[in-house]
Amino acid sequence: CGGDEADPTTTTGDAATTGAPTTSSAPDTTEAPGIEAPDLAGTEWVLTFYLLPDGALTNPWPGSEVTARFDNAAAISGSTGCNEYSADFNVSGPYDEFEDGIRDENDGQAVSISLTGVTERACEEQNWMEQEGEFLDNLTGTTHWFVARGTLRLRSDTTYLEFEPVS
């Protein structure tokens, strides 16, 4: 229920799940030698694609800007395109770097995200309210995160969000 639908074969929207429990909010320091998890703190991200309930990828509705900002205290905040939200996140396990052209289920790092609050303003457009629900479902369903080619990707086997840094 977003703008133009994207071809899922051209976007890295496939994903895998993990049953690993989350244990800390900071990246695990037991990562493979030479591979550090990218630092997300302080960067504002704007949503470019998300997964619809039917499995199709789409971009946000025109005029709505969906954002995410991570901080050092394991918190995320941003806009759903209509309301403001806040969430906590916990990461666990090593960070597996994404190699160009090679996708595997271990890309990134395990993460869990739980909402702590959402404002309740009426949205300007009905489509934005639908988008808000779809975005929040994708966000809280995320099991892995990684950065590839400058984009932030949050995913599971049933969810996918892709963000670009705000310039």
Side-chain angles (χ1 to χ4, degrees):
C1 282
D4 299 327
E5 290 188 6
D7 178 358
T9 61
T10 61
T11 305
T12 56
D14 60 336
T17 61
T18 179
T22 57
T23 57
S24 72
S25 60
D28 188 335
T29 57
T30 61
E31 297 161 2
I35 299 176
E36 279 190 41
D39 185 10
L40 297 179
T43 301
E44 181 147 3
W45 301 89
V46 63
L47 185 68
T48 54
F49 290 102
Y50 68 98
L51 195 65
L52 293 170
D54 68 5
L57 283 175
T58 190
N59 57 312
W61 282 97
S64 69
E65 185 173 78
V66 180
T67 61
R69 178 181 276 290
F70 294 76
D71 71 17
N72 288 328
I76 308 169
S77 60
S79 171
T80 66
C82 179
N83 284 292
E84 301 300 311
Y85 71 92
S86 57
D88 291 330
F89 71 95
N90 290 303
V91 297
S92 64
Y95 182 83
D96 182 32
E97 189 172 44
F98 173 80
E99 297 87 22
D100 273 347
I102 303 171
R103 289 269 323 152
D104 69 52
E105 63 191 35
N106 297 317
D107 285 341
Q109 187 172 31
V111 65
S112 66
I113 299 172
S114 57
L115 284 177
T116 57
V118 180
T119 59
E120 296 181 3
R121 291 181 296 211
C123 298
E124 202 173 300
E125 301 283 337
Q126 177 63 32
N127 296 335
W128 295 2
M129 290 185 74
E130 291 174 31
Q131 172 182 279
E132 176 178 87
E134 293 160 350
F135 168 74
L136 293 173
D137 287 347
N138 275 278
L139 185 68
T140 58
T142 296
T143 61
H144 273 78
W145 75 277
F146 67 98
V147 174
R149 296 184 210 112
T151 63
L152 170 63
R153 297 156 193 214
L154 305 177
R155 64 172 176 81
S156 75
D157 64 342
T158 59
T159 65
Y160 184 77
L161 298 167
E162 185 171 316
F163 296 86
E164 291 181 349
V166 173
S167 47

